[in-house]
């Protein structure tokens, strides 16, 4: 029989577990060894050999290999053994490129695996009678799990208890409406999956309510495991920037082919050897196409992602890094993000005794009774582990539970003495939670929630005075909850809002404060300077929210604070008109967040939005950058977001935006460097063939320059530190291209400068010695060294005197290695012979060095004259 069709006690017995105690630690270890981790089988990883072979799929690489084969055949028919060096060198370079690509891909995969493990979901289980938070992959059959609204369900499980539980199962059943669950049901064995109302399933999420269940299957044995082939992994997608660069590569490819055809024709007319023309044309085509661009962009983005992890931001999608740099509006939740998320109950008011007290360890009996009732109506819990107080659940609730604990009423003791009989879970629309407990033999309904929501359902008590107290407490930035109660004759089997949340006696108020994070004030100031608008969105009272927003600098003179009710009265046109002047949204529902996001987007802004609840998922998806909370956030929110803040801190968002801007700037610098050098190489060979009918560089010299002077410095440029002034500029417009602000023109001009310097070096060496080999040696030294030195120009739009000549240790290393490799093949006779280089008079070496340093001087002058603007 299937687990859903058996009696519940039989299921628990078969799995050798216990409703109250769960599994023991030893049992869990044994079963983890027996069943393996609770994971779906990942798609088969590529072997290093597969990765290596995939590097040869590029058309231009295949052309280069073809050229090597032709050259090898020609060498076989010749009489000079040195003719074999060229095809062998080409093959060595191709293999070396393939090895580098394989290594980079392997590193990227390991980095993503590390990120996935950092953002792995968790599960709440009961083991040895204690509630624990463990990694979801450690869940085993027989574990007792606890789930509530917003949680991802870690494994297939049979329900033991359920309270208004609904599960989102569209991934399995295709049903868009959440399925209602009931632990008391026993289902027929032939029932389809969608009708198994006493089961919850791995890969699904809890949309409403809460439940307790025993795990019946994990990993590939779950229902989701049976269709794991559909869920083995996300397809690799390119970022928008990578797509643009890939398109650019195609255009450059067509241009290179056209140049090659022209060179081939010129060579034939001039009577050059066909093989020489062929090798020059092919090598030129390969050096002209920046085939390394997409890979280098991915590497730079991955480096940035790793940097962000160290700053408590986990990026789930690489395109988010690009978008982050453009963020112009940050809509942030208050609790835990702008504040310390250490809710502390500081005041309580007993309505019957008209008594207001500060919370201490020895409050009056009336206040203690109020705290007990409020604690009974909480799902959060507080435990003391190794002398450290740990809050599990909603901070608002745990502050109440902790205050009751301080006054001698721990949650566990209250739950035993006054057991919960039924409940209506908290709902963000109602802003209320209700429970029915057995207190001294009576069925007592206890309701807690926002005062605005309690006001219409409390029929006994001085609500006018209560309103005055709420306003007074809220003006002091306290969050205020009201508590009400009533006695009922019998406990309804399926309680309704009308039955429980009506005709209540107002019992009192509890006021708590979550102090602002001290570092947020500085972060808000940075936002203002960077042209980013900070906006507070909270479920709190508008007076409380405004007080904290003013304290942090989010709300300035002329800014408005509105409530969700006021927002609901606004038309889309009115909201779009006023949105720039609204800094605080209070008492809003998750649905309101989508309206706010779309209103800002209608103004052409790039919006970052924070969220932690299951109902925040649509707003997180709608925002340009969705930021989920890593500590208080639900699994569903994290799944919908682009970024997860592991410390739930607003300052982390600002740091991530800064990093995003820096990364985008580094990518621009790397792209500009690569394209400038490639244009220089193409113009050098093309113009020389036009002027002198001689190639200033042999094919293997071009290939060596392309390998040495492109990849290493370009990657090092991607590791440049984020400039200090990056947050002093306005955000990049949404549709701004990578070649904006004259960058495209500068790239072409710089390429032309490299070509001019190289051609002058070629002419000078040829003229001084009368040997074309000497001219080529000069051209090689000038072009190769120029590109290495030029990498330092590309670090920043600021002068090198300001950024520091040697402050990028990665570029220092890459440049030193490149220069050593250039020197090796220039000055070591056997290598020089292979590369067609020759010894030069001493003054020509100095001349080559002088020419190579010209771009540094020219660009320093251009920066000083303001010809290069400080745009990222």
């Amino acid at each position: 029989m299937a687990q859903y069709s058996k009696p519940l006690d039989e299921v628990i017995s078969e799995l050798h577990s216990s409703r109250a105690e769960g599994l023991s630690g030893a049992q869990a270890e044994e079963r983890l060894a027996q069943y393996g981790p609770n994971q779906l089988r990942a798609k088969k990883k590529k072997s290093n050999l597969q990765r290596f072979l995939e590097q040869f799929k590029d058309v231009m690489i295949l052309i280069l290999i073809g050229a090597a084969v032709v050259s090898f055949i020609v060498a076989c028919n010749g009489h000079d053994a040195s003719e074999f060096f060229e095809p062998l060198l080409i093959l060595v370079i191709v293999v070396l490129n393939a090895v580098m690509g394989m290594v980079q891909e392997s590193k990227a995969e390991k980095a993503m695996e590390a990120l996935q493990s950092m953002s792995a979901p968790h599960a709440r289980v009961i083991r040895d009678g204690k509630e624990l938070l463990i990694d979801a992959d450690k869940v085993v059959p027989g574990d007792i799990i606890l789930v509530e609204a917003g949680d991802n369900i870690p494994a297939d499980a049979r329900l033991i208890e359920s309270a208004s539980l609904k599960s989102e199962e569209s991934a399995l059943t295709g049903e868009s409406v959440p399925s209602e669950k009931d632990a008391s049901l026993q289902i027929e064995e032939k029932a389809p999956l969608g009708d198994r109302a006493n089961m919850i399933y791995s890969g699904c999420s809890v949309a409403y309510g809460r439940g307790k269940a025993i795990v019946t299957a994990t990993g590939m044995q779950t229902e989701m495991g049976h269709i794991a082939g559909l869920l083995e992994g996300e397809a690799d997608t390119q970022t928008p920037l990578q797509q643009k660069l890939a398109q650019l590569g195609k255009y450059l490819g067509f241009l290179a082919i056209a140049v090659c055809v022209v060179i081939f024709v010129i060579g034939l007319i001039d009577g050059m050897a066909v093989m020489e023309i062929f090798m020059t044309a092919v090598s030129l085509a390969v050096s002209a196409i920046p085939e390394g661009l997409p890979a280098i962009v991915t590497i730079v983005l991955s480096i940035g992602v790793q940097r962000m992890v160290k700053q408590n931001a986990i990026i789930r999608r690489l395109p988010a890094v690009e978008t982050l740099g453009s963020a112009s509006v940050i809509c942030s939740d208050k609790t835990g993000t702008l504040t310390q998320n250490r809710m502390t109950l500081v005041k309580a008011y007993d309505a019957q005794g008209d008594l207001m007290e500060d919370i201490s360890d020895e409050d009056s009996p009336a206040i203690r009774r109020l705290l007990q009732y409020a604690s009974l109506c909480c799902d959060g819990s507080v435990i003391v582990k190794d002398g450290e107080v740990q809050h599990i659940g909603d901070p608002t609730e745990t502050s109440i539970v902790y205050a009751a604990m301080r006054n001698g009423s721990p949650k566990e003791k209250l739950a035993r003495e006054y057991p919960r009989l039924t409940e209506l879970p908290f709902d963000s629309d109602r802003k209320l939670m209700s429970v029915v407990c057995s207190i001294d033999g009576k069925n007592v309904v206890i309701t807690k929630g926002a005062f605005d929501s309690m006001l219409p359902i409390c029929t006994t008590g001085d609500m006018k005075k209560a309103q005055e107290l709420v306003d007074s407490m809220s003006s002091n930035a306290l969050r205020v909850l009201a508590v009400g109660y009533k006695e009922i004759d019998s406990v309804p089997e399926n309680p309704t809002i009308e039955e429980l949340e009506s005709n209540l006696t107002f019992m009192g108020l509890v006021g708590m404060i979550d102090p602002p994070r001290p570092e947020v004030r500085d972060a808000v100031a940075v936002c203002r300077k960077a042209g980013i608008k900070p906006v507070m969105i909270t479920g709190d009272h508008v007076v409380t929210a405004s007080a904290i927003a003013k304290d942090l600098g989010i709300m300035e003179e002329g800014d408005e604070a509105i409530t969700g009710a006021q927002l609901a009265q606004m038309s889309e046109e009115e909201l779009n008109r006023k949105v720039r002047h609204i800094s605080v949204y209070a008492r809003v529902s998750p649905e309101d967040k989508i309206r706010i996001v779309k209103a800002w987007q209608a103004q052409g802004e790039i919006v970052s939005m924070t969220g932690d609840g299951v109902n925040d998922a649509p707003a997180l998806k709608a925002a340009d950058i969705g930021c989920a909370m890593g500590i208080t956030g639900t699994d569903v929110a994290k799944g919908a977001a682009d970024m997860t803040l592991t410390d739930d801190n607003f300052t982390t968002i600002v740091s991530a935006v800064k990093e995003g801007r820096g990364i985008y700037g580094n990518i621009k610098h790397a792209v500009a460097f690569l394209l400038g050098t490639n244009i220089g190489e193409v113009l050098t060979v093309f113009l020389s063939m036009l002027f002198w009918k001689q190639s200033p560089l042999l094919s293997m010299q071009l290939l060596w320059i392309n390998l040495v002077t492109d990849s290493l410095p370009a990657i090092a440029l991607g590791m440049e530190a984020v400039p200090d002034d990056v947050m002093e500029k306005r955000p990049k417009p949404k549709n701004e291209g990578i070649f904006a602000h004259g960058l495209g023109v500068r790239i072409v001009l710089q390429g032309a400068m490299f070509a001019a310097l190289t051609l002058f070096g070629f002419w000078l060496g040829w003229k001084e010695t009368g040997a074309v080999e000497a001219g080529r040696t000069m051209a090689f030294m000038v072009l190769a060294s120029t590109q290495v030195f030029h990498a330092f120009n590309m670090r920043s739009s600021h002068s090198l005197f300001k950024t520091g000549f040697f402050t990028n240790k990665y570029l220092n290393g890459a440049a030193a290695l490149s220069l050593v490799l250039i020197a090796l093949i220039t000055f070591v006779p056997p290598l020089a012979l292979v590369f067609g280089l020759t010894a030069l008079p001493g003054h020509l070496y100095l001349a080559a060095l002088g020419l190579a340093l010209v771009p540094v001087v020219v660009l320093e002058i251009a920066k000083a004259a303001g010809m290069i603007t400080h745009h990222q």
Side-chain angles (χ1 to χ4, degrees):
M1 288 175 69
Q3 301 287 29
Y4 53 84
S5 60
K6 296 176 185 176
L8 178 58
D9 288 337
E10 186 180 327
V11 174
I12 296 171
S13 175
E14 283 181 0
L15 290 166
H16 304 290
S17 190
S18 161
R19 291 175 189 246
E21 298 291 317
L23 296 175
S24 67
Q27 280 180 303
E29 288 293 330
E30 286 174 14
R31 294 189 188 188
L32 188 61
Q34 179 183 352
Y35 295 102
N38 178 32
Q39 296 173 329
L40 294 179
R41 186 170 52 244
K43 62 181 175 183
K44 192 176 179 182
K45 291 182 184 177
K46 294 175 189 172
S47 67
N48 283 333
L49 177 61
Q50 287 174 308
R51 289 200 190 99
F52 178 76
L53 293 175
E54 282 186 355
Q55 307 303 316
F56 296 95
K57 285 183 178 178
D58 188 272
V59 175
M60 298 312 294
I61 294 294
L62 293 175
I63 291 174
L64 194 59
I65 292 171
V69 171
V70 173
S71 180
F72 187 77
I73 293 169
V74 171
C76 288
N77 293 327
H79 303 288
D80 190 349
S82 64
E83 292 181 10
F84 286 100
F85 284 122
E86 189 161 336
L88 286 172
L89 177 64
I90 294 172
L91 291 176
V92 166
I93 289 174
V94 167
V95 170
L96 189 58
N97 268 322
V99 170
M100 287 174 63
M102 178 191 75
V103 171
Q104 287 163 0
E105 190 178 324
S106 179
K107 282 184 179 177
E109 185 178 273
K110 286 177 182 174
M112 291 311 294
E113 283 175 0
L115 288 180
Q116 286 166 0
S117 67
M118 287 188 69
S119 56
H122 296 87
R124 281 195 296 155
V125 302
I126 295 175
R127 287 184 181 171
D128 294 312
K130 296 176 183 174
E131 184 180 322
L132 303 172
L133 190 67
I134 66 171
D135 290 339
D137 63 358
K138 301 293 191 297
V139 171
V140 296
D143 261 328
I144 304 297
I145 58 171
L146 303 171
V147 292
E148 59 185 26
D151 287 350
N152 274 349
I153 297 164
D156 290 3
R158 171 73 179 268
L159 286 167
I160 297 172
E161 297 173 10
S162 60
S164 306
L165 185 65
K166 292 183 182 179
S167 173
E168 169 58 63
E169 296 181 345
S170 58
L172 282 177
T173 65
E175 280 290 328
S176 57
V177 180
S179 304
E180 294 191 13
K181 299 294 178 179
D182 188 344
S184 64
L185 298 178
Q186 192 171 327
I187 310 296
E188 290 183 10
E189 190 166 4
K190 293 181 180 179
L193 193 146
D195 292 342
R196 299 170 195 168
N198 61 1
M199 294 286 293
I200 51 177
Y201 292 101
S202 172
C204 302
S205 59
V206 179
Y208 190 82
R210 63 181 182 84
K212 180 179 183 181
I214 180 167
V215 173
T216 56
T218 59
M220 294 305 292
Q221 301 307 310
T222 62
E223 292 292 335
M224 190 63 79
H226 296 158
I227 54 170
L230 302 176
L231 302 168
E232 280 184 349
E234 295 179 5
D236 295 331
T237 55
Q238 286 191 317
T239 71
L241 180 60
Q242 285 174 308
Q243 290 169 356
K244 287 177 187 173
L245 293 176
Q247 193 174 29
L248 175 68
K250 287 180 184 176
Y251 295 149
L252 288 173
F254 291 131
L255 178 64
I257 290 169
V259 170
C260 289
V261 169
V262 173
I263 288 175
F264 209 96
V265 171
I266 292 170
L268 286 175
I269 292 171
D270 201 49
M272 289 175 64
V274 173
M275 195 62 215
E276 185 182 345
I277 307 171
F278 176 74
M279 293 305 296
T280 300
V282 170
S283 59
L284 176 61
V286 173
S287 65
I289 297 171
E291 64 271 11
L293 261 184
I296 285 171
V297 170
T298 302
I299 291 165
V300 174
L301 287 173
S302 299
I303 291 166
V305 167
Q306 291 297 317
R307 279 186 188 173
M308 288 188 184
V309 168
K310 293 174 184 174
Q311 296 185 25
N312 301 313
I314 296 175
I315 304 293
R316 293 184 67 246
R317 302 180 182 95
L318 281 183
V321 180
E322 293 172 30
T323 314
L324 262 173
S326 305
S328 54
V329 178
I330 299 178
C331 296
S332 175
D333 189 21
K334 177 181 73 68
T335 306
T337 310
L338 297 169
T339 58
Q340 295 179 28
N341 200 20
R342 289 206 307 265
M343 271 290 183
T344 307
L345 211 63
V346 291
K347 285 192 178 293
Y349 170 72
D350 175 58
Q352 291 168 328
D354 193 20
L355 176 68
M356 176 78 80
E357 281 186 21
D358 291 335
I359 297 298
S360 67
D361 294 343
E362 298 178 353
D363 286 305
S364 65
I367 295 297
R368 287 190 177 204
R369 180 170 174 264
L370 172 66
L371 294 176
Q372 286 176 350
Y373 272 52
S375 183
L376 285 168
C377 191
C378 288
D379 284 331
S381 60
V382 176
I383 60 172
V384 180
K385 189 175 182 181
D386 299 327
E388 185 181 339
V389 178
Q390 293 184 358
H391 294 239
I392 301 173
D394 180 74
T396 303
E397 292 197 332
T398 60
S399 70
I400 296 171
V401 173
Y402 186 55
M405 177 190 283
R406 287 177 62 192
N407 276 275
S409 298
K411 181 83 177 290
E412 297 78 10
K413 180 184 174 186
L414 288 173
R416 284 195 303 271
E417 290 181 6
Y418 312 120
R420 187 183 292 187
L421 306 175
T422 190
E423 66 184 299
L424 285 175
F426 175 78
D427 182 283
S428 57
D429 293 324
R430 292 177 12 255
K431 297 185 175 67
L432 295 171
M433 175 179 176
S434 296
V435 297
V436 180
C437 294
S438 176
I439 301 177
D440 300 329
K442 297 173 182 175
N443 301 320
V444 180
V445 176
I446 306 170
T447 300
K448 79 167 194 321
F451 182 77
D452 294 351
S453 300
M454 290 288 285
L455 189 59
I457 61 175
C458 287
T459 54
T460 304
D462 187 348
M463 304 308 288
K464 186 176 180 182
K465 178 167 186 180
Q467 181 70 69
E468 292 171 0
L469 287 170
V470 168
D471 292 342
S472 172
M473 294 164 78
S474 297
S475 65
N476 291 314
L478 293 186
R479 182 172 187 183
V480 184
L481 294 181
V483 182
Y485 73 99
K486 70 176 179 181
E487 294 178 10
I488 55 176
D489 296 329
S490 60
V491 180
E493 194 170 317
N494 295 301
T496 63
I497 294 170
E498 292 73 20
E499 286 176 303
L500 300 191
E501 295 173 353
S502 61
N503 302 316
L504 300 177
T505 297
F506 175 60
M507 189 175 191
L509 304 169
V510 290
M512 58 205 72
I513 188 167
D514 181 9
R517 293 178 183 262
E519 67 273 19
V520 168
R521 291 184 188 88
D522 292 337
V524 169
V526 170
C527 281
R528 296 278 185 196
K529 205 171 183 182
I532 300 169
K533 168 81 171 176
V535 177
M536 178 192 285
I537 300 178
T538 179
D540 265 358
H541 194 281
V542 68
V543 180
T544 309
S546 298
I548 292 177
K550 285 175 183 173
D551 183 24
L552 293 172
I554 289 174
M555 195 172 178
E556 297 182 323
E557 196 169 336
D559 288 345
E560 290 182 59
I562 67 169
T563 64
Q566 290 171 304
L567 180 62
Q569 298 299 314
M570 286 187 183
S571 65
E572 298 304 321
E573 292 75 18
E574 187 181 1
L575 177 58
N576 289 342
R577 195 170 62 250
K578 291 185 174 180
V579 70
R580 290 191 178 277
H581 304 290
I582 302 171
S583 291
V584 176
Y585 296 87
R587 283 287 192 266
V588 295
S589 67
E591 288 74 19
D592 292 330
K593 286 189 175 184
I594 299 176
R595 285 193 69 198
I596 297 165
V597 168
K598 290 186 175 174
W600 275 111
Q601 288 173 332
Q603 303 296 309
E605 304 293 347
I606 304 290
V607 185
S608 170
M609 168 68 77
T610 68
D612 57 6
V614 63
N615 291 334
D616 288 331
L620 292 173
K621 280 187 176 178
D624 298 285
I625 297 287
C627 302
M629 303 296 103
I631 299 171
T632 59
T634 60
D635 293 332
V636 172
K638 292 174 189 174
D642 303 289
M643 179 168 81
T644 298
L645 310 179
T646 58
D647 59 356
D648 291 13
N649 193 337
F650 177 83
T651 307
T652 301
I653 307 174
V654 180
S655 299
V657 170
K658 180 181 179 181
E659 197 68 46
R661 288 187 177 190
I663 290 166
Y664 188 78
N666 287 348
I667 289 173
K668 282 184 72 171
H669 298 154
V671 169
F673 169 75
L674 285 169
L675 293 182
T677 56
N678 282 20
I679 289 170
E681 290 169 16
V682 172
L683 288 175
T684 297
V685 176
F686 182 65
L687 293 174
S688 180
M689 292 293 288
L690 283 179
F691 296 151
W692 299 304
K693 308 298 185 291
Q694 282 282 358
S695 173
L697 293 156
L698 299 176
S699 55
M700 54 186 167
Q701 293 168 354
L702 275 170
L703 287 165
W704 186 258
I705 290 171
N706 210 37
L707 175 71
V708 170
T709 61
D710 279 13
S711 300
L712 295 176
I715 293 170
L717 283 171
M719 301 176 81
E720 184 74 30
V722 179
D724 294 333
D725 65 345
V726 76
M727 293 298 277
E728 293 176 11
K729 306 171 184 127
R730 295 198 63 79
K732 178 176 73 71
K734 195 168 190 173
N735 298 316
E736 181 180 290
I738 193 168
F739 301 111
H741 307 294
L743 181 61
V745 174
R746 289 204 304 275
I747 289 170
V748 173
L749 290 175
Q750 287 165 15
M753 177 171 58
F754 302 149
L757 292 168
T758 306
L759 288 171
F760 179 75
F762 176 61
W763 172 80
L764 184 64
W766 190 4
K767 180 175 177 258
E768 287 274 321
T769 63
V772 74
E773 290 80 9
R776 284 175 178 154
T777 303
M778 276 287 285
F780 174 80
M781 290 180 64
V782 171
L783 184 56
S785 303
T786 297
Q787 294 181 7
V788 174
F789 294 139
H790 179 59
F792 288 88
N793 289 328
M794 298 307 298
R795 288 178 55 200
S796 170
S797 53
H798 291 295
S799 166
L800 277 170
F801 292 98
K802 182 176 180 180
T803 56
F805 281 82
F806 303 109
T807 48
N808 182 339
K809 64 180 181 180
Y810 302 105
L811 183 56
N812 297 342
L817 180 58
S818 296
L819 290 173
V820 166
L821 290 171
I822 292 168
L824 276 175
I825 64 169
T826 305
F827 298 112
V828 176
L831 290 175
L833 181 64
V834 170
F835 279 88
L837 301 174
T838 187
L840 299 174
H843 70 282
L844 287 182
Y845 288 121
L846 291 174
L849 180 62
L851 289 170
L853 289 170
V854 168
V856 177
V857 177
V858 170
L859 266 79
E860 281 298 307
I861 294 170
K863 289 173 183 178
M867 296 167 67
I868 297 177
T869 55
H870 303 326
H871 286 282
Q872 278 297 313

